[in-house]
Amino acid sequence: MKITLKDGSVKEYSEAKSIIDIAKDISEGLARVACAGEINGELVDLRTEIEGDCELNIITATDPKALYVIRHTASHVLAEAVKRLFPNAKVTIGPAIDDGFYYDFDSEPFSREDLDKIEAEMKKIIKEGHEITRFTLPRAEAIQYMEEKGEPFKVELIQDLPEDAEISFYDQGGFVDLCAGPHLMNTKGVKAFKLTSSSMAYWRGDSNKARLQRIYGTAYNKKEELAAHLERMEDAKRRDHNRLGREMELFTTVDVIGQGLPLFTPKGTKMIMKLQRWIEDLEDNEWGYMRTRTPLMAKSDLYKISGHWDHYKEGMFVFGDEEKDKEVYALRPMTCPFQYYVYKNTQKSYRDLPCRYSETSTLFRNEDSGEMHGLTRVRQFTITEGHLIVRPDQMVEEFKGCLALAKYCLETLGVNGDVTYHLSKWDPENKEKYIGEPEVWNETEQHIRDILTALDIPFVEDVGEAAFYGPKVDINAKNVYGKEDTMITVQWDALLAEQFDMYYIDQNGDKVRPYIIHRTSMGCYERTLAWLIEKYAGKFPTWMCAEQVRVLPISDKYEAYAQEVCRALKKSGVDATVDSRSEKIGFKIREARLDKLPYMLVVGQQEEADHTVSVRSRFAGDEGVKSLDNFIAEITEEIRNKTIREEMPSEEK
RNA sequence: GCUUCCAUAGCGCAGUUGGUAGCGCAACUGAUUCGUAAUCAGUAGGUCGAGGGUUCGAGUCCCUUUGGAAGCUCCA
């Protein structure tokens, strides 16, 4: 057989040979650093026997793909260490994940001290340098083997595998774990790892099943890479909006007000208002939207028509008891039906469509108490929410327009490169969660697929993520810790018009059901602000800053001029303040830097005499002396264009 | 809702085997009037989240409870 290597060279063997033996054949050095193989692009174990012609890439420790194998082996070392220290713990599963690995145990909870002990034990196991060997058993024998070892979770895993499956195990010096691999050849290959945290997890993610203890860790090829990763995690903590947003006094929470109900301070409110004014004007002036203003609550009757009463009652704040009270009200968890009744206010002709309604809409959702987090999961939030009532023949064009608007918003915020697009589909296996016919679902999903393809937007498809009334496009972003949240959603709805008896009159004078697009252009302000805080680490583009310029008089003598400068800036729409405290200029600059202000204007005798300002910015440091008029012209231009200036390297002290 | 951890001045923290509640920043008062990242001096601020228990004595140990964090589950 012929084996083509990565560099194009070809090796020929007369009989089947394992990848590790091929590596040894090439050089002993290569065999030492080999972590896995890649046969025709598929990651496989080094022990894999190659039987026919193929392309082989031997993955070495420095290859990023090796991390998956290193981490997987690290999770086995973790399991062995736990079994040594806690013999009663039962092992379950332990995969490699994006930035590390975890292993779930049925055990008493682990404390940080336990993790430290386990970490020390893992180091011992690695130092002992156990050879890792692989063997297989027929299914029945595998079950018996794991039963004898007293590992019921492993038995359950094997029972789910096909009858005729050959079950693979990995043995590292006596510790044997059911595993599909791939793994390193020796525990020594785990060179740099750290256990990061422990938490609770359910067996197979099912809250009705056993509660397990999950230990998270991370592993890298080199100690420096591990250190860099831990440094990134520290940086993420510094950027965390839930911490930085409070530090910067953008928002706060109060225990007597309640969980998931953030309060925005003047600074945070100003930022949100800048975003809101921008979006409202943009939608109304350039994208043909009409603004509505509808109630924050409604009688249960409305939600019964919309289907929310049956599908989403648990998530709503409901006032009153249906048994006792004549009328029951609920705060709205969405805007849709309210805007439908705006549409229904007058009879519409086909000429009136599309009707693009938008509203800066406050919504209420009764999330579970453990779900709330900073500004990203809250019980009251305000979203730039809209519904487009369109003729079926306009649907594709309008849906495209919604995505184009969303993309424009993301670009302006400077975050378009950080998102992923998802086509969220229904789940045909779970029909009771959705309304409408399967054919309609498949048809609309294909329409959206075509639109995304036409717009040249790369996307992934997620089963079971659709709204109950239709499929949608979700635009997701990751937070500093890599957790994904939906920022923007555009939803296709060919069904709810029926429930609300919405129609328009077509050319023939017939009543026709319109289609509906549920969409947001920038998402909800709370979540978007959280995202911006983390993206910019609090150093926002000038246009969205609550305080854009601070005028710093050298001494009290120049306060009058400083106030004059400030007034001139405010008159031009720039958010400016004066730091008139009797402090030294160095101190005022330090504070302004810590407040992450874009611009500081130092003014003293010279500036007052020449009607100039000494400009110091977050982007370029000392920008020199400019005439006041010039500075105002520049900064108003920067704000109007929503320019994102490049930050200079941090000189924080 | 579940598991673990945490809760001490406005914020960030320290507080020894249980023995008189502390530090830094901020705040306030005064002095200083200064040219690009911290001027000096002083003052005030706390039922140690709440409730109960053990003890001669609890910030510290135990129980209950409230809130926060991480993770899980859920998410129109």
Side-chain angles (χ1 to χ4, degrees):
Chain A
M1 64 184 175
K2 273 198 212 164
I3 294 168
T4 314
L5 296 170
K6 200 182 166 190
D7 62 4
S9 63
V10 176
K11 285 261 170 190
E12 287 201 46
Y13 298 100
S14 53
E15 57 194 24
K17 216 165 170 58
S18 71
I19 297 174
I20 187 67
D21 286 340
I22 294 169
K24 276 180 190 156
D25 190 36
I26 295 167
S27 84
E28 281 296 328
L30 176 64
R32 268 201 304 279
V33 294
C35 290
E38 206 173 29
I39 298 177
N40 301 330
E42 192 192 344
L43 194 68
V44 294
D45 197 274
L46 285 172
R47 299 158 191 82
T48 308
E49 298 266 331
I50 297 183
E51 284 161 356
D53 295 357
C54 67
E55 282 181 23
L56 173 67
N57 178 17
I58 295 173
I59 308 273
T60 61
T62 49
D63 190 315
K65 287 173 194 161
L67 283 181
Y68 177 83
V69 183
I70 292 171
R71 288 164 180 170
H72 199 174
T73 299
S75 88
H76 276 219
V77 173
L78 165 61
E80 178 174 2
V82 169
K83 288 296 279 188
R84 282 188 186 182
L85 297 171
F86 305 88
N88 292 330
K90 303 289 176 212
V91 291
T92 69
I93 55 162
I97 51 177
D98 273 358
D99 57 357
F101 60 89
Y102 68 81
Y103 208 112
D104 287 348
F105 302 93
D106 183 19
S107 158
E108 293 297 307
F110 299 104
S111 65
R112 182 66 237 183
E113 287 71 42
D114 292 335
L115 294 191
D116 292 341
K117 276 183 214 150
I118 294 165
E119 215 174 87
E121 193 65 30
M122 287 172 70
K123 282 186 180 142
K124 233 163 91 185
I125 293 166
I126 291 163
K127 214 172 166 191
E128 285 162 11
H130 300 291
E131 288 294 326
I132 303 171
T133 54
R134 178 178 187 272
F135 65 92
T136 60
L137 292 173
R139 186 168 172 277
E141 281 177 46
I143 290 172
Q144 194 189 354
Y145 183 61
M146 276 295 138
E147 274 172 351
E148 280 164 14
K149 287 213 166 239
E151 298 290 1
F153 295 95
K154 292 289 183 189
V155 171
E156 192 181 326
L157 289 174
I158 299 168
Q159 279 166 343
D160 285 354
L161 295 170
E163 290 282 345
D164 56 350
E166 279 287 311
I167 314 295
S168 68
F169 293 88
Y170 283 82
D171 181 343
Q172 54 192 48
F175 172 77
V176 179
D177 199 359
L178 164 77
C179 186
H183 278 286
L184 301 175
M185 300 305 288
N186 193 298
T187 56
K188 263 187 192 161
V190 183
K191 291 196 170 72
F193 76 96
K194 171 113 189 115
L195 297 184
T196 49
S197 64
S198 66
S199 67
M200 172 267 183
Y202 294 103
W203 173 235
R204 305 197 143 179
D206 183 341
S207 61
N208 297 315
K209 292 194 169 138
R211 281 195 278 274
L212 308 173
Q213 299 304 319
R214 174 170 298 178
I215 296 179
Y216 281 93
T218 189
Y220 282 86
N221 178 41
K222 286 186 180 151
K223 290 208 162 61
E224 302 82 71
E225 288 167 11
L226 175 66
H229 170 80
L230 296 175
E231 174 55 37
R232 277 197 301 279
M233 293 307 290
E234 285 302 308
D235 181 58
K237 262 186 205 162
R238 285 192 287 272
R239 283 169 180 261
D240 185 338
H241 83 274
N242 205 12
R243 170 183 166 145
L244 189 53
R246 290 170 199 269
E247 262 174 33
M248 292 182 74
E249 292 172 26
L250 299 177
F251 75 98
T252 185
T253 48
V254 178
D255 56 359
V256 294
I257 289 174
Q259 261 191 304
L261 298 170
L263 285 74
F264 288 96
T265 58
K267 258 178 89 175
T269 305
K270 191 158 233 174
M271 282 191 67
I272 285 182
M273 288 311 297
K274 286 186 186 209
L275 296 173
Q276 183 179 331
R277 286 171 185 145
W278 164 55
I279 289 291
E280 289 183 350
D281 289 344
L282 177 73
E283 288 182 349
D284 298 355
N285 299 336
E286 295 178 40
W287 292 80
Y289 282 82
M290 298 176 285
R291 211 136 287 280
T292 63
R293 197 170 162 85
T294 58
L296 301 185
M297 61 167 96
K299 294 195 290 183
S300 57
D301 307 35
L302 177 75
Y303 305 113
K304 283 173 188 165
I305 299 171
S306 69
H308 286 78
W309 204 251
D310 292 332
H311 287 83
Y312 195 64
K313 196 175 164 198
E314 292 306 304
M316 291 199 288
F317 290 100
V318 177
F319 304 107
D321 184 335
E322 275 197 288
E323 305 286 308
K324 287 184 276 182
D325 302 318
K326 208 165 137 199
E327 284 179 345
V328 178
Y329 287 83
L331 290 172
R332 66 178 181 191
M334 38 71 231
T335 322
C336 333
F338 296 88
Q339 288 188 329
Y340 300 161
Y341 282 100
V342 171
Y343 174 85
K344 282 162 64 79
N345 181 45
T346 56
Q347 180 161 278
K348 298 289 190 291
S349 142
Y350 69 96
R351 292 193 186 90
D352 296 322
L353 271 50
C355 270
R356 307 187 191 94
Y357 295 118
S358 185
E359 178 160 340
T360 301
S361 178
T362 297
L363 305 179
F364 305 84
R365 295 183 186 178
N366 193 5
E367 305 283 359
D368 286 343
S369 66
E371 284 317 306
M372 257 65 75
H373 174 76
L375 296 179
T376 52
R377 283 302 289 273
V378 290
R379 282 181 167 154
Q380 175 187 322
F381 56 93
T382 300
I383 186 167
T384 164
E385 171 130 284
H387 293 87
L388 286 74
I389 320 297
V390 310
R391 300 194 309 257
D393 64 276
Q394 295 169 323
M395 190 65 170
V396 168
E397 209 42 45
E398 290 298 316
F399 203 93
K400 242 187 219 174
C402 291
L403 288 174
L405 172 57
K407 184 160 168 274
Y408 176 79
C409 290
L410 293 170
E411 278 167 357
T412 306
L413 293 174
V415 293
N416 192 45
D418 307 331
V419 298
T420 50
Y421 289 77
H422 299 252
L423 167 51
S424 297
K425 304 188 290 185
W426 79 319
D427 181 1
E429 304 294 313
N430 206 346
K431 290 192 175 68
E432 68 279 3
K433 272 181 78 179
Y434 307 92
I435 58 174
E437 299 306 311
E439 306 80 60
V440 180
W441 280 91
N442 295 335
E443 191 187 323
T444 53
E445 283 172 8
Q446 189 53 46
H447 279 307
I448 296 176
R449 216 173 269 125
D450 293 343
I451 290 170
L452 285 164
T453 308
L455 285 172
D456 206 21
I457 293 174
F459 63 98
V460 294
E461 305 197 5
D462 301 334
V463 172
E465 294 291 324
F468 77 85
Y469 45 73
K472 56 183 177 170
V473 173
D474 287 320
I475 306 177
N476 294 357
K478 283 183 179 172
N479 74 2
V480 280
Y481 301 112
K483 196 180 165 183
E484 231 178 44
D485 265 316
T486 300
M487 305 306 301
I488 289 178
T489 173
V490 181
Q491 309 180 353
W492 183 295
D493 175 8
L495 296 166
L496 286 187
E498 174 84 27
Q499 297 193 348
F500 283 91
D501 192 27
M502 295 159 72
Y503 64 88
Y504 63 90
I505 307 297
D506 73 2
Q507 291 94 319
N508 306 318
D510 296 330
K511 286 183 178 178
V512 180
R513 295 276 176 234
Y515 282 6
I516 299 170
I517 301 171
H518 309 241
R519 56 102 255 179
T520 168
S521 48
M522 197 205 58
C524 83
Y525 291 96
E526 288 80 358
R527 197 173 272 188
T528 299
L529 181 61
W531 189 24
L532 292 171
I533 292 169
E534 298 189 354
K535 159 83 183 175
Y536 290 110
K539 293 176 178 174
F540 305 108
T542 305
W543 72 271
M544 62 174 86
C545 284
E547 188 182 356
Q548 294 160 323
V549 178
R550 191 178 292 172
V551 189
L552 312 178
I554 298 278
S555 82
D556 295 354
K557 283 179 241 167
Y558 313 108
E559 194 191 332
Y561 177 61
Q563 294 293 357
E564 185 192 330
V565 169
C566 183
R567 272 194 304 278
L569 284 161
K570 281 183 171 172
K571 211 172 160 189
S572 303
V574 180
D575 270 304
T577 58
V578 176
D579 184 349
S580 57
R581 293 174 302 171
S582 302
E583 299 286 353
K584 287 176 146 177
I585 193 67
F587 181 76
K588 294 182 185 180
I589 286 172
R590 175 182 157 78
E591 298 230 313
R593 286 304 306 267
L594 293 177
D595 287 346
K596 306 182 200 303
L597 267 136
Y599 291 98
M600 291 162 259
L601 301 182
V602 177
V603 296
Q605 193 178 11
Q606 203 58 51
E607 288 78 8
E608 181 168 23
D610 303 343
H611 211 70
T612 55
V613 291
S614 176
V615 181
R616 190 180 164 124
S617 78
R618 215 179 58 204
F619 317 103
D622 190 351
E623 296 196 16
V625 176
K626 295 180 185 177
S627 80
L628 178 58
D629 290 344
N630 274 350
F631 176 74
I632 290 176
E634 282 176 22
I635 193 170
T636 49
E637 179 76 356
E638 181 183 340
I639 291 169
R640 197 172 53 79
N641 291 334
K642 302 188 168 55
T643 308
I644 300 172
R645 288 189 71 182
E646 197 183 331
E647 300 287 329
M648 65 180 181
S650 176
E651 47 165 329
E652 235 156 78
K653 289 170 189 168

